[in-house]
Amino acid sequence: MQLADFKGRLVLGEIYHRHADDLYIDIGLKFPMICKIPDRKKYVIGATVLIKLFNPELSEPFLGAKKEITILEADGQLLGLYDRGVVEGIKGLDVGLETTKQFSEVVRRAKTIVWNRPMEVFEVENFANGTKGLMDAVVDVTKTGATTIIGGGDTATCCVKYDTEDKVSHVSTGCGTSLELVESRILPGVDTLTSV
Ligand SMILES: Nc1ncnc2c1ncn2[C@@H]1O[C@H](COP(=O)(O)OP(=O)(O)O)[C@@H](O)[C@H]1O
Ligand SMILES: O=C(OP(=O)(O)O)[C@H](O)COP(=O)(O)O
């Protein structure tokens, strides 16, 4: 086991035992984490949970402890149930490598792409990798002849951010409007200007 700094590290654990109001969670280290059961129906044996770990064992704080603790457990905060990458009650603000790969594969097969809405909260650098990855795929297929239309204020901003405005077929701040144009609806502004 690597004894790096554990404070604040996110780890997955499995509920292996329940006793009275307590949940016993195996986190793959020497000691389990024990905490109160937030919901008896949901936090069942075998369920996977996400934990913010503070300390893998409480032997050091035990020596000067002011509250009652046992040294044979890890200290952490139960964040919620974990189900296929999603934690109940916690927002998902980005996509992972696998999702980016799957979306990019579809984009690389397409001949026409209409893209509205960034994949993630791309304004925050740590959450932008999937959006950048998808943009790379869209730019690549544009080079090989696909028609790529990007619409929406924020999605157009992605093009500005990644300097791809000239590398896709069409960029517009309109999103609903772009879709109406594709549907062959008459757009009042375009109609007025056309007849001037
Ligand atoms: N998973 C998410 N959770 C919350 N906000 C998100 C998520 N993914 C993207 N966003 C936000 O959605 C906004 C873009 O959506 P939207 O306004 O519909 O796009 P557009 O302006 O291109 O039509 C961005 O500000 C982005 O940060
Ligand atoms: O980004 C936009 O809107 P959104 O952020 O609500 O998706 C567009 O500026 C709205 O354009 P629209 O009027 O063509 O739908």
Side-chain angles (χ1 to χ4, degrees), residues 15 56 58 83-85 92 116 125 129 150 158 161 165 171 189:
I15 299 171
L58 293 171
D83 182 13
R84 283 163 294 170
N116 169 241
E125 221 42 59
N129 289 339
I150 294 190
C158 293
K161 179 170 175 170
E165 285 165 294
V171 185

Side-chain angles (χ1 to χ4, degrees), residues 152-154 173-178:
D154 290 302
T173 52
C175 70
T177 313
S178 304

Side-chain angles (χ1 to χ4, degrees), residues 39-55:
D39 182 326
R40 297 198 71 84
K41 281 200 189 121
K42 291 182 177 174
Y43 288 77
V44 294
I45 291 174
T48 305
V49 292
L50 187 70
I51 287 164
K52 190 174 195 176
L53 195 60
F54 300 129
N55 200 333

Side-chain angles (χ1 to χ4, degrees), residues 92-93 116-123 151-155 175:
L93 299 179
N116 169 241
R117 180 162 279 194
M119 302 272 280
E120 316 154 303
V121 180
F122 74 100
E123 295 90 342
D154 290 302
T155 323
C175 70

Side-chain angles (χ1 to χ4, degrees), residues 11-37:
V11 296
L12 290 177
E14 185 182 320
I15 299 171
Y16 71 94
H17 180 60
R18 303 196 320 176
H19 178 73
D21 288 339
D22 289 335
L23 211 53
Y24 287 69
I25 304 163
D26 178 5
I27 54 173
L29 298 175
K30 197 157 50 167
F31 300 117
M33 192 187 103
I34 303 164
C35 63
K36 294 284 168 233
I37 303 175

